[in-house]
Amino acid sequence: MYEISVLLRDVWKSYKFGSELTTVLRNVNAAFKKGEMIGIHGPSGSGKTTLLRIIAGLERPDRGDVIISGYNLNLLDEVGLSMIRNSIVSYIPQDYGLVDTLTVFENIEIPLLISGVDKVSRVKSVSEVIQYMGLKGKENLTPSHLSGGERQRVAIARALVTTPSVLLADEPTANLDWSNAIKVMELFRNVRKDFNTTIVIVTHDPRVLEFVDRSLNMVEGTLKEITPKT
Ligand SMILES: Nc1ncnc2c1ncn2[C@@H]1O[C@H](COP(=O)(O)OP(=O)(O)OP(=O)(O)O)[C@@H](O)[C@H]1O
Ligand SMILES: [Mg+2]
């Protein structure tokens, strides 16, 4: 028996441009196991970010169920969704979403401040994740003083500080050279091994898919399984 950590059932999403309705996701179905590392591949504009934001509880689908660690997001109000975002799911945005005026330490601390964690516990958790991500010595720098690879690691650290069950990474290697991309993908592998985290990685780089357990293709708004390599 394995545990399903993300279940998508007949998920649909459209956006309105003036009077025109564009359907981005149509009948998306998927089940991701606990501790599984999933790659979602697809061209620009195919709906990858939209899907991750729906799994993260940042956007609601028009139709369909999103069930994360047993919680049906449709049944939760905004308070419930923010609880899920602060404890169960972490989303790493395509542009990292770091605050330029805050230090590395303060950026990583944000989710714990939102959750109302006390100062002693915050310092302990942030210090641990800084150590784990190899960011020791960079605590007091602001993001503009970091390399691209370091910025990505800060974004991952901020996502991990709440010890989520599900980690969603939107194009985590897009702004990195290949040697830094490999480092980031190996980091995700370590996270999966050390914490049994379910990790969903969206990418348009087929090389990234070499690092995941299972790859899915976003085709015309629907997820299709890519035939496993033989
Ligand atoms: N908030 C929004 N309002 C209106 N349209 C949107 C919104 N978000 C996304 N879209 C549209 O939905 C489609 C899919 O966008 P999405 O960002 O999910 O694609 P993507 O696969 O992540 O692309 P990329 O690889 O370029 O990041 C695009 O046509 C986009 O313009
Ligand atoms: Mg995107």
Side-chain angles (χ1 to χ4, degrees):
M1 254 293 271
Y2 55 77
E3 199 182 323
I4 297 291
S5 124
V6 176
L7 183 66
L8 304 171
R9 232 167 21 200
D10 195 20
V11 170
W12 292 70
K13 180 77 180 175
S14 304
Y15 290 112
K16 219 169 182 169
F17 297 97
S19 58
E20 210 173 304
L21 199 68
T22 310
T23 302
V24 180
L25 302 178
R26 52 184 83 228
N27 186 221
V28 174
N29 290 287
F32 306 152
K33 288 178 245 173
K34 178 133 195 63
E36 199 174 20
M37 198 153 147
I38 297 283
I40 296 178
H41 183 246
S44 187
S46 59
K48 304 183 299 297
T49 296
T50 304
L51 181 63
L52 276 198
R53 289 177 56 82
I54 285 175
I55 298 173
L58 290 162
E59 263 181 80
R60 291 188 186 272
D62 300 337
R63 224 179 93 182
D65 291 312
V66 180
I67 298 159
I68 312 289
S69 297
Y71 292 92
N72 187 332
L73 302 193
N74 277 348
L75 303 179
L76 299 176
D77 60 10
E78 284 310 312
V79 174
L81 283 185
S82 71
M83 186 273 290
I84 294 283
R85 289 197 297 264
N86 275 310
S87 58
I88 295 176
V89 188
S90 280
Y91 170 68
I92 307 167
Q94 211 159 349
D95 61 2
Y96 310 151
L98 299 176
V99 182
D100 291 334
T101 51
L102 298 181
T103 64
V104 165
F105 188 99
E106 290 163 342
N107 266 282
I108 299 171
E109 192 182 21
I110 294 170
L112 302 178
L113 281 168
I114 294 171
S115 305
V117 175
D118 67 82
K119 179 138 201 247
V120 172
S121 310
R122 288 201 309 270
V123 170
K124 183 170 179 286
S125 300
V126 174
S127 303
E128 277 171 7
V129 82
I130 280 177
Q131 178 81 37
Y132 184 79
M133 297 299 295
L135 288 165
K136 199 114 187 67
K138 309 283 179 190
E139 296 88 332
N140 298 318
L141 298 178
T142 53
S144 62
H145 292 93
L146 301 175
S147 71
E150 287 165 349
R151 276 200 283 273
Q152 180 59 272
R153 277 187 281 146
V154 175
I156 298 171
R158 188 191 46 194
L160 285 179
V161 77
T162 52
T163 57
S165 316
V166 179
L167 182 64
L168 309 170
D170 201 347
E171 300 278 6
T173 63
N175 304 315
L176 306 179
D177 61 37
W178 185 237
S179 73
N180 273 305
I182 292 174
K183 281 190 201 148
V184 163
M185 291 311 293
E186 282 172 349
L187 246 168
F188 283 130
R189 276 188 169 169
N190 289 341
V191 168
R192 191 265 301 271
K193 179 165 60 72
D194 294 341
F195 306 104
N196 202 25
T197 315
T198 307
I199 304 180
V200 185
I201 294 165
V202 150
T203 184
H204 59 251
D205 187 343
R207 295 177 298 179
V208 167
L209 302 179
E210 299 290 326
F211 291 84
V212 304
D213 301 321
R214 193 154 62 92
S215 302
L216 303 164
N217 228 340
M218 193 66 127
V219 186
E220 290 168 2
T222 301
L223 277 183
K224 297 235 168 18
E225 193 103 14
I226 296 178
T227 316
K229 298 178 285 279
T230 47

